């Protein structure tokens, strides 16, 4: 490969340790790529050139001293702009946080810095991570490196576009209903949502606290593993953090799928899935079977209700989480004759339509007289979904489905119809409700040359088997195609 | 199940100053979404414990020790309006 | 037929933990504004709460001290409402699954013992503090407000009573007893003036004998136990007048005005509060197993009611026992004095009488001060064996308080030891009798009142040091 910006993290990490390349060179290559692609893609909201340069110099000095801080040392990484970074503008793509400079680093950011990562900047997202296309950003939509007239998916669309285009080697996003996996699928890269609690949420600006998880977007399964190793693990600052040790994910990556039982979820395959997407998924299933896996068909009846439950639980939690944006301590303020008016004017002006809609929905779903019929019932349905998954994992080691029912859709195609936009997440939402890990791996292109993602789901803390299957899917699919925009000729 | 939302009341609770036209639009959209979401009500859930959390953990406690506070200047620098060492807000009409 | 008040009281108590409820900022009072803050208690985007384990234990201590059941599993909830000094615009509190439920507190009034039910004790976080600027600091007339978030997140316990209280006097006794209990339990400084203990009252009236409840009014802004009693008395009068005039009582929140001595309705809300409680997804449940509960229960200090019972067994009368048992410092000095040989009732009388007066006069602290159990025991012994007169004993006490030394030394130094030795008194008595022959004659004639005059003369001649009993005896024997 001629351009350093196109290296996988694993290859770059090797080069940094052998002395074949430096973190500064790597950063320069990625910056050159960003300079060419950003005008088209708008993956970033903020590029921190000075901070990144300092980190790269520091990483190189570390290598010279023989200090090895782990797999991300010297690697240029991008952070979704809902991850708090001290002194670096953090907006959640919302007007209400324009110019906000957080006085602290989130745990993931702290661990990345401690691990010698070179933080490039902050990537675009749907405002407060609410959306599936990045069109809900107050600062302009990001575009898909495979076709700039199409969305990169969302809400971590900026992170996905950057990794696919080579303007970041790896990126982090957050996944509440599919916000890492769906854009990864639409941009032809790997995206992974860890088990709830595996990565600390401290410093992740909350959308729906019981569903949010930080995870990596990367060019390979191995790269995703490396990124997760750095940010994962117990954090006492997050009460919902998993208190155990992070297991070894790498040893199984070469083990193949022989002897594994792979469950095809009836409710997430077939109906409502674009034929080209389903065909690619079926082809992958055949390959897995040939590679020695047993394919079993499984029904999870309650999963049909997942989308409905999600659109009660997530807005309810968001209505409280976003109450703190009131013009008192930080962010936007609009004048008002008294404090109530000031807050109401600030919030009406500061939040975009999708966020406003979800706050209204959630406020209603929690209000007196409706709580039990809506929020309470959704939480009971959540219990049933968890039970269905537990039963399914008695019969299968992993479950699979398409990541997204469709490939990347044109910009503007779904903005007027919230429900059709919400359908983008129909395959990814169940894992958020159950708290289980899931990963999207690119397995092919449709007729329009747009990438298709294959989703592997595993039980809670089942990352080792999930990565093992995903690595085999990656080998079998031999996807290996780069986004057309990820080349020096385009700009 | 048709859903009928008092959208003005909900907007007031959520501190969102929306005009009538906006309210009407949001009301219509929210009602469509809620009608879809009301699908959850068709699933029998008698005796099912609600899950508010996917993680079965209890007693995540912190030791009662003092940790470092933020620098006041760094905090107040983000305030839309301040008066000396305080955050300043327009007059408050009610006790909480 | 008369009306009967039905009163319930919600008490908020700040805990004396080192750090706040959900973060490591100091929980103490009086730091410069906005210095005890961090991302968590400022509600900065991305910050998450973590429960202070000691605060949970303190809440259990209060619950067990109030005879509550401790729930094996309880959860936190978000209480949603917008207020500028509440950083997240929701308060982390407990709602349908609180830590402690179903307790009671026995309180004494002149009318006897009353058992007041405790509905629940739950944990929550305090808010910041708003200062209203302009027009004398009143909220309604202020031009703007200034906010200090130091108090935001300080551990706060809400103690909710059943509507078992039937008079303002009982309400006063209840909060007095509750405050004493909290202080004895050692988990709060319960300072009303600093707001580390606050209360709201709920009051309705009903016809005597009726079981139904009347319309409830919530009364806020009482800053002392006395103002609680006054506010409730005022409300009872106000509601009685309304009912007697056939007018309805409006369900509302009313504000106590300390200066005016009245309550007034607060601006009526456009809509009733809808707090939209739901389980706090950032926190996990609190599970209290048998061992934990037992360990806390076994380490509970003695409560005021228990101390009172013990004091009565030691011979104190009820009212004095109540006063001493409600104050942990009085209790410890009293017990030390009795242990040093002091007579319980005498020591108790001294404590509730002269010592209390002295404390009020001089800002004396019992805990730190030189007046301790040993000195009170010594003082009471000196009075009962006649070495000190009652009035001289007050001087001695003042001397002890001023650090002049133990009672005997002070009495010696101030020359206050009574003279009861007949040989020493006889010459003085002879002198007085010789100078007052008329008086002696009157005494012999049966005018007994005159003996007071004679004793007074002897006392004056001895500078007040003569033992009045010994003097009386001498005069009588000599006048014969």
């Amino acid at each position: 490969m001629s351009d350093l910006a196109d290296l996988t993290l694993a290859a770059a990490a090797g080069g940094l340790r052998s002395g074949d390349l430096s973190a500064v060179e790597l950063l320069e290559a990625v910056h050159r790529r960003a300079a060419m692609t950003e005008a088209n893609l708008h993956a970033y909201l903020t590029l921190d050139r000075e901070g990144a340069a300092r980190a790269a110099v520091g990483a190189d000095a570390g290598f010279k001293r023989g200090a090895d801080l782990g797999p991300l040392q010297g690697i240029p990484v991008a952070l979704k702009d809902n991850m708090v970074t001290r002194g670096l503008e953090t907006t959640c793509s919302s007007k209400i946080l324009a110019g906000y400079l957080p006085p602290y680093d989130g745990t993931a950011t702290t661990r990345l810095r401690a691990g010698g990562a070179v933080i490039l900047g902050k990537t675009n997202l749907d405002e407060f991570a609410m959306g599936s296309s990045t069109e809900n950003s107050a600062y302009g939509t990001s575009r898909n490196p495979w076709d700039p007239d199409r969305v990169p998916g969302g809400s971590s669309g900026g992170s996905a576009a950057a990794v696919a285009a080579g303007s970041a080697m790896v990126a982090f996003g957050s996944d509440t209903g599919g916000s890492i996996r769906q854009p990864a699928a639409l941009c032809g890269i790997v995206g992974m949502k860890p088990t709830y609690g595996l990565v600390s949420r401290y410093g992740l600006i909350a959308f729906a606290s019981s569903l949010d998880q930080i995870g990596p977007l990367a060019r390979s399964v191995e790269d995703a593993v490396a990124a997760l190793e750095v940010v994962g693990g117990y954090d006492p600052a997050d009460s919902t953090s998993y208190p155990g040790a992070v297991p070894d994910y790498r040893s199984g990556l070469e083990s193949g799928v022989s002897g594994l039982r792979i469950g095809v979820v009836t409710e997430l395959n077939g109906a409502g899935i674009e034929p080209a997407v389903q065909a690619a998924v079926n082809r992958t299933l055949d390959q897995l079977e040939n590679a020695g896996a047993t394919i079993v068909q499984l029904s999870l009846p309650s999963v049909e209700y997942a989308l409905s439950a999600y659109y009660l639980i997530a807005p309810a939690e968001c209505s409280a989480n976003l109450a703190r944006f009131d013009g008192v301590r930080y962010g936007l303020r609009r004048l008002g004759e008294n404090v109530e008016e000031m807050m109401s004017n600030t919030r009406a002006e500061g939040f975009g339509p999708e966020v406003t809609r979800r706050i209204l929905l959630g406020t209603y779903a929690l209000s007196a007289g409706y709580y039990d019929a809506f929020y309470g019932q959704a939480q009971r349905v959540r219990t049933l979904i968890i039970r269905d998954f537990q039963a399914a994992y008695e019969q299968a080691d992993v479950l699979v489905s398409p990541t997204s029912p469709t490939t990347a859709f044109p910009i503007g195609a779904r903005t007027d119809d919230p429900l059709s936009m919400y359908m983008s997440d129909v395959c990814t939402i169940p894992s958020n409700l159950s708290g289980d890990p899931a990963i999207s791996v690119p397995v092919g292109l449709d007729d329009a040359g747009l990438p298709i993602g294959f989703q592997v789901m595993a039980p809670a803390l089942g990352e080792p088997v999930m990565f093992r299957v995903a690595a085999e899917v990656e080998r079998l699919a031999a996807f290996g195609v780069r986004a057309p925009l990820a080349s020096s000729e385009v700009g | 199940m048709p859903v009928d939302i008092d959208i003005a009341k909900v907007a007031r609770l959520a501190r969102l100053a929306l005009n009538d036209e906006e309210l009407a639009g949001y009301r219509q959209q929210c009602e469509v979404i809620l009608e879809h979401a009301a699908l959850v009500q068709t699933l029998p859930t008698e005796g099912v414990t609600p899950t508010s959390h996917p993680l079965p953990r209890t007693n995540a406690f912190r030791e009662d020790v003092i940790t470092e506070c933020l620098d006041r200047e760094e905090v107040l620098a983000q305030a839309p309006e301040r008066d000396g060492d305080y955050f300043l807000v327009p007059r408050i009409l009610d006790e909480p | 037929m008369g009306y009967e008040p039905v009163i319930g009281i919600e008490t908020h108590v700040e805990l004396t933990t080192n750090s706040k409820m959900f973060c490591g900022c100091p929980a103490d009072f009086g730091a410069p504004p906005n210095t005890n803050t961090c991302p968590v208690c400022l509600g900065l985007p991305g910050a998450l709460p973590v429960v202070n384990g000691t605060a949970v234990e303190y809440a259990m201590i209060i619950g067990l001290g109030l005879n509550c059941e401790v729930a094996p599993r309880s959860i936190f909830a978000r209480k949603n409402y917008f207020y500028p000094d509440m950083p997240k615009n929701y308060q982390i509190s407990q709602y349908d699954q609180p830590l402690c439920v179903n307790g009671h507190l026995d309180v004494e009034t002149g009318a006897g013992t009353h058992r007041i039910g405790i509905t629940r004790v739950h944990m929550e976080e305090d808010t910041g503090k708003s200062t209203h600027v302009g027009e004398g600091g009143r909220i309604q007339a202020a031009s703007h407000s200034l906010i200090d978030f130091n108090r935001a997140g300080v551990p706060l316990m809400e103690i909710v009573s059943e509507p078992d209280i039937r008079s303002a006097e009982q309400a006063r006794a209840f909060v007095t007893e509750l405050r004493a209990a909290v202080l004895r339990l050692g988990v709060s400084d319960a300072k009303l003036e600093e707001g580390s203990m606050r209360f709201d009252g709920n009051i309705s009236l009903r016809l005597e004998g009726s079981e139904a409840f009347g319309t409830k009014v919530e009364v806020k802004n009482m800053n002392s136990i006395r103002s609680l009693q006054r506010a409730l008395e005022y409300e009872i009068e106000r509601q009685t007048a309304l009912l007697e005039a056939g007018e309805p009582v409006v369900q509302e929140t009313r504000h106590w005005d300390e200066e005016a001595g009245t309550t007034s309705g607060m601006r009526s809300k456009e809509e009733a509060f809808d707090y939209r409680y739901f389980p706090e997804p950032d926190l996990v449940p609190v599970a209290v197993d048998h061992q934990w509960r037992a360990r806390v229960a076994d380490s509970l200090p003695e409560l005021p009611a228990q101390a009172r019972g013990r004091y009565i067994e030691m011979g104190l009368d009820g009212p004095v026992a109540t006063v001493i048992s409600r104050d942990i410092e009085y209790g410890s000095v009293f017990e030390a004095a009795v242990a040093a040989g002091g007579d319980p009732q005498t020591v108790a009388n001294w404590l509730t009488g002269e010592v209390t007066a002295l404390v009020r006069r001089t800002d004396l602290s019992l805990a730190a001060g030189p007046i301790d159990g040993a000195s009170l025991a010594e003082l009471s012994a000196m009075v009962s064996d006649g070495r000190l007169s009652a009035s001289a004993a007050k001087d001695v006490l003042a001397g002890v308080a001023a650090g002049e030394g133990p009672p005997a030394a002070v009495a010696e130094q101030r020359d206050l030891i009574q003279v009861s030795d007949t040989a020493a008194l006889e010459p003085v008595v002879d002198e007085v009798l010789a100078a007052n022959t008329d008086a002696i004659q009157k005494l012999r004639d049966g005018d007994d009142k005159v003996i007071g005059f004679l004793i007074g003369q002897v006392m004056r001649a001895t500078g007040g040091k003569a033992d009045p009993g010994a003097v009386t005896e001498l005069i009588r024997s000599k006048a014969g």
Side-chain angles (χ1 to χ4, degrees):
Chain A
M1 213 162 287
S2 56
D3 193 328
L4 293 179
D6 293 320
L7 291 178
T8 61
L9 185 163
L16 287 166
R17 279 163 184 76
S18 68
D20 290 345
L21 58 96
S22 71
V24 169
E25 285 173 312
L26 208 53
L27 175 64
E28 282 168 358
V30 169
H31 272 162
R32 272 197 306 276
R33 178 63 60 82
M36 284 184 289
T37 56
E38 268 307 285
N40 243 324
L41 297 183
H42 188 42
Y44 284 93
L45 294 176
T46 309
L47 273 168
D48 179 19
R49 291 175 184 280
E50 284 175 27
R54 266 197 313 274
V57 168
D60 283 336
F63 283 124
K64 228 166 247 158
R65 281 199 313 273
D68 195 330
L69 302 174
L72 293 187
Q73 183 174 349
I75 301 294
V77 306
L79 304 183
K80 188 177 182 177
D81 201 30
N82 60 354
M83 294 169 70
V84 162
T85 44
R86 183 169 187 177
L88 183 60
E89 187 175 2
T90 301
T91 67
C92 277
S93 287
S94 181
K95 251 163 83 176
I96 211 158
L97 276 180
Y100 175 58
L101 302 176
Y104 77 108
D105 273 333
T107 300
T109 311
T110 302
R111 289 184 180 178
L112 287 170
R113 292 196 205 279
V118 175
I119 295 174
L120 293 161
K122 310 299 287 291
T123 58
N124 198 10
L125 64 150
D126 287 294
E127 184 180 0
F128 284 102
M130 296 177 203
S132 310
S133 68
T134 324
E135 290 165 293
N136 298 333
S137 168
Y139 304 108
T141 184
S142 296
R143 288 161 185 272
N144 193 312
W146 295 78
D147 177 353
D149 291 331
R150 291 176 185 266
V151 302
S155 63
S156 311
S159 284
V163 172
S167 54
M169 192 153 280
V170 65
F172 289 89
S174 65
D175 190 315
T176 306
S179 279
I180 290 172
R181 292 162 286 160
Q182 185 258 15
L186 269 49
C187 290
I189 59 168
V190 171
M192 187 254 167
K193 180 196 92 75
T195 301
Y196 184 82
L198 201 66
V199 180
S200 171
R201 293 184 296 114
Y202 190 76
L204 172 66
I205 300 182
F207 158 19
S209 314
S210 76
L211 304 164
D212 297 341
Q213 258 299 280
I214 289 174
L217 297 98
R219 301 216 186 105
S220 73
V221 173
E222 190 189 355
D223 286 4
V225 166
L228 180 61
E229 281 172 345
V230 173
V231 298
Y234 177 62
D235 177 15
D238 175 358
S239 310
T240 64
S241 173
Y242 173 69
V246 176
D248 168 33
Y249 303 130
R250 287 177 186 265
S251 62
L253 292 181
E254 308 289 336
S255 304
V257 291
S258 181
L260 290 182
R261 298 164 303 164
I262 293 175
V264 179
V265 181
T266 307
E267 287 77 10
L268 302 180
N269 285 271
I273 308 295
E274 266 182 7
V277 171
Q278 192 62 55
V281 167
N282 292 344
R283 192 172 61 242
T284 303
L285 286 170
D286 290 344
Q287 291 169 330
L288 286 167
E289 191 164 27
N290 291 337
T294 308
I295 309 296
V296 290
Q297 192 75 33
L298 292 172
S299 173
L300 283 73
S302 64
V303 156
E304 302 263 23
Y305 300 83
L307 193 65
S308 296
Y310 177 84
Y311 275 97
L312 293 169
I313 294 168
E317 292 183 9
C318 109
S319 73
N321 282 330
L322 271 59
R324 68 189 60 193
F325 302 99
D326 61 2
V328 175
R329 286 145 297 132
Y330 41 77
L332 183 80
R333 173 182 287 191
R334 283 289 168 262
L335 298 181
E337 200 270 319
N338 56 56
V339 79
E340 183 175 335
E341 273 185 35
M342 180 279 282
M343 287 183 180
S344 302
N345 292 339
T346 298
R347 291 165 58 77
E349 166 119 10
F351 293 134
E354 182 63 28
V355 172
T356 302
R357 185 155 50 231
R358 294 203 200 184
I359 290 174
L360 291 168
L361 264 176
T363 302
Y364 175 80
L366 288 175
S367 60
Y370 304 103
Y371 179 93
D372 213 55
F374 286 111
Y375 187 76
Q377 179 68 4
Q379 297 284 48
R380 284 187 285 274
V381 167
R382 189 172 185 182
T383 306
L384 296 179
I385 290 168
I386 290 172
R387 285 185 194 164
D388 275 3
F389 269 110
Q390 282 167 347
Y393 287 123
E394 300 276 306
Q395 299 169 62
D397 299 296
V398 296
L399 300 175
V400 298
S401 76
T403 305
S404 165
T406 69
T407 52
F409 45 89
I411 286 170
R414 299 185 186 180
T415 39
D416 293 335
D417 183 358
L419 266 186
S420 81
M421 187 72 90
Y422 296 174
M423 289 304 289
S424 305
D425 298 326
V426 71
C427 298
T428 46
I429 278 173
S431 309
N432 295 91
L433 290 171
S434 66
D436 298 336
I439 189 168
S440 178
V441 181
V443 291
L445 299 176
D446 69 2
D447 292 344
L450 297 168
I452 295 166
F454 181 87
Q455 178 174 235
V456 181
M457 299 169 269
L461 302 173
E463 274 86 356
V465 68
M466 180 198 74
F467 280 129
R468 179 179 162 192
V469 173
E472 184 66 11
V473 168
E474 186 176 51
R475 266 190 300 275
L476 295 167
F479 182 67
V481 208
R482 310 233 39 99
L485 273 186
S487 96
S488 25
E489 288 87 54
V490 186
Chain B
M1 189 190 89
V3 179
D4 184 14
I5 304 177
D6 183 350
I7 196 77
K9 182 185 165 194
V10 175
R12 241 183 351 261
L13 272 176
R15 295 289 187 274
L16 290 162
L18 303 172
N19 63 35
D20 290 348
E21 193 188 336
E22 291 165 329
L23 285 174
Y26 283 119
R27 178 184 165 173
Q28 189 265 334
Q29 291 158 355
C30 286
E31 284 177 358
V32 169
I33 296 163
L34 278 172
E35 276 169 35
H36 184 268
L39 190 65
V40 294
Q41 292 159 2
T42 64
L43 202 59
T45 54
E46 220 183 88
V48 176
T49 317
T51 295
S52 52
H53 231 280
L55 192 84
R57 202 185 162 196
T58 56
N59 293 358
F61 295 140
R62 188 172 59 73
E63 295 275 320
D64 183 24
V65 290
I66 291 172
T67 53
E68 208 182 326
C69 294
L70 284 173
D71 173 61
R72 179 166 66 191
E73 269 315 301
E74 198 173 352
V75 167
L76 282 165
Q78 295 302 311
E81 201 175 351
R82 63 184 280 190
D83 181 354
D85 298 331
Y86 295 89
F87 293 87
L88 188 150
V89 296
R91 68 199 187 95
I92 303 172
L93 291 184
D94 284 305
E95 304 280 341
Chain C
M1 224 200 283
Y3 292 99
E4 175 187 55
V6 176
I7 300 168
I9 293 180
E10 280 177 23
T11 308
H12 284 94
V13 176
E14 282 182 354
L15 300 181
T16 44
T17 49
N18 300 318
S19 62
K20 291 186 178 181
M21 187 71 212
F22 300 115
C23 65
C25 289
D28 52 357
F29 179 85
N34 290 307
T35 52
N36 287 352
T37 61
C38 76
V40 177
C41 59
L42 275 175
L44 296 190
L48 296 172
V50 182
V51 174
N52 181 340
T54 301
V56 175
E57 188 144 323
Y58 281 11
M60 270 168 72
I61 289 172
I62 292 180
L64 289 169
L66 299 176
N67 308 293
C68 289
E69 298 157 23
V70 177
R73 186 184 172 88
S74 66
I75 62 168
F76 289 94
R78 291 186 183 176
K79 180 182 184 182
N80 295 286
Y81 64 98
F82 283 83
Y83 206 74
D85 61 22
M86 190 168 61
K88 302 181 294 296
N89 285 316
Y90 58 80
Q91 180 188 34
I92 304 178
S93 180
Q94 295 196 290
Y95 180 52
D96 55 350
Q97 297 177 54
L99 184 68
C100 304
V101 293
N102 235 349
H104 64 261
L105 182 66
D106 290 337
V107 303
E108 307 290 331
T109 67
T113 304
H114 314 272
R115 175 156 291 190
I116 309 299
I118 302 293
T119 315
R120 58 192 281 151
V121 177
H122 78 237
M123 302 176 271
E124 57 188 36
E125 55 179 339
D126 211 340
T127 61
K129 253 186 165 164
S130 307
T131 309
H132 309 298
V133 179
E135 292 292 321
R138 286 182 307 121
I139 186 166
Q140 288 86 353
S143 63
H144 62 274
S145 297
L146 301 178
I147 305 182
D148 170 13
F149 288 104
N150 281 349
R151 200 182 67 178
V154 169
L156 196 62
M157 300 300 108
E158 182 171 316
I159 301 162
V160 183
S161 91
E162 289 286 304
D164 289 344
I165 298 166
R166 293 290 172 268
S167 69
E169 159 69 10
Q170 261 182 41
R172 187 194 56 74
F174 171 74
V175 295
T176 306
E177 186 73 17
L178 183 60
R179 180 165 183 273
V182 165
L183 285 170
R184 280 245 174 193
L185 291 166
V187 295
S188 172
D189 57 17
K191 287 182 181 164
L192 300 166
E193 66 279 14
E194 286 179 8
S196 60
M197 183 179 197
R198 329 192 262 272
F199 23 70
D200 303 323
N202 285 304
I203 173 166
S204 62
L205 298 190
R206 66 181 173 195
L207 281 175
E208 260 168 47
S210 163
E211 286 295 309
F213 290 111
T215 306
K216 187 172 77 176
V217 168
E218 190 180 5
V219 191
K220 286 181 176 278
N221 197 42
M222 288 87 66
N223 299 322
S224 68
I225 293 175
R226 202 177 96 83
S227 63
L228 170 82
Q229 184 175 2
R230 284 177 69 205
L232 291 172
E233 277 164 357
Y234 176 83
E235 265 305 300
I236 293 167
E237 256 178 60
R238 187 186 71 87
Q239 293 184 24
T240 304
L242 283 174
L243 294 172
E244 279 174 351
E247 287 171 35
V249 172
V250 180
Q251 180 165 353
E252 61 180 346
T253 298
R254 295 181 70 86
H255 198 85
W256 168 248
D257 184 332
E258 182 71 36
E259 266 175 51
T262 57
T263 65
S264 54
M266 290 159 70
R267 196 183 79 116
S268 70
K269 312 268 176 199
E270 285 181 38
E271 72 244 23
F273 272 115
D274 184 344
Y275 291 122
R276 289 159 286 137
Y277 283 100
F278 74 101
E280 165 58 281
D282 287 333
L283 295 172
V284 297
V286 174
V288 180
D289 61 14
H290 176 72
Q291 282 94 328
W292 190 10
R293 188 200 169 281
R295 181 172 61 72
V296 175
D298 290 346
S299 65
L300 280 190
E302 186 184 46
L303 283 153
Q306 294 163 325
R308 179 177 185 274
R310 212 158 42 78
Y311 297 162
I312 287 173
E313 274 175 29
M314 287 162 74
L316 297 196
D317 63 45
V320 170
T322 300
V323 171
I324 292 180
S325 64
R326 275 177 183 167
D327 189 299
I328 196 154
E329 289 174 3
Y330 275 33
S332 66
V333 171
F334 168 74
E335 292 189 29
V338 173
D343 168 61
Q345 188 68 47
T346 311
V347 170
N349 288 345
W350 273 100
L351 267 174
T352 55
E354 199 51 32
V355 172
T356 302
L358 198 63
V359 164
R360 288 207 183 112
R361 251 192 341 261
T362 61
D363 276 342
L364 181 79
S365 159
L366 263 191
I371 296 179
D372 57 11
S375 60
L376 279 184
E378 192 182 335
L379 195 66
S380 83
M382 288 175 80
V383 174
S384 58
D385 70 15
R387 273 179 291 162
L388 276 183
S389 70
S391 63
K394 290 181 186 180
D395 288 346
V396 172
L397 188 72
V400 174
E404 291 170 21
V410 174
E412 206 67 61
Q413 229 166 356
R414 293 195 173 192
D415 200 15
L416 293 169
I417 300 288
Q418 281 193 142
V419 183
S420 45
D421 178 4
T422 318
L425 287 174
E426 212 169 350
V428 187
V429 173
D430 287 344
E431 232 174 90
V432 167
L433 294 185
N436 293 283
T437 46
D438 304 2
I440 296 167
Q441 195 49 54
K442 279 187 186 162
L443 189 64
R444 285 182 181 141
D445 292 347
D447 181 1
D448 215 40
K449 281 179 291 182
V450 80
I451 193 161
F453 165 76
L454 290 169
I455 294 169
Q457 293 300 307
V458 176
M459 294 307 280
R460 185 193 291 172
T462 58
K465 289 189 293 177
D467 176 353
V471 173
T472 311
E473 236 170 80
L474 266 177
I475 294 173
R476 286 201 190 285
S477 70
K478 286 189 182 284

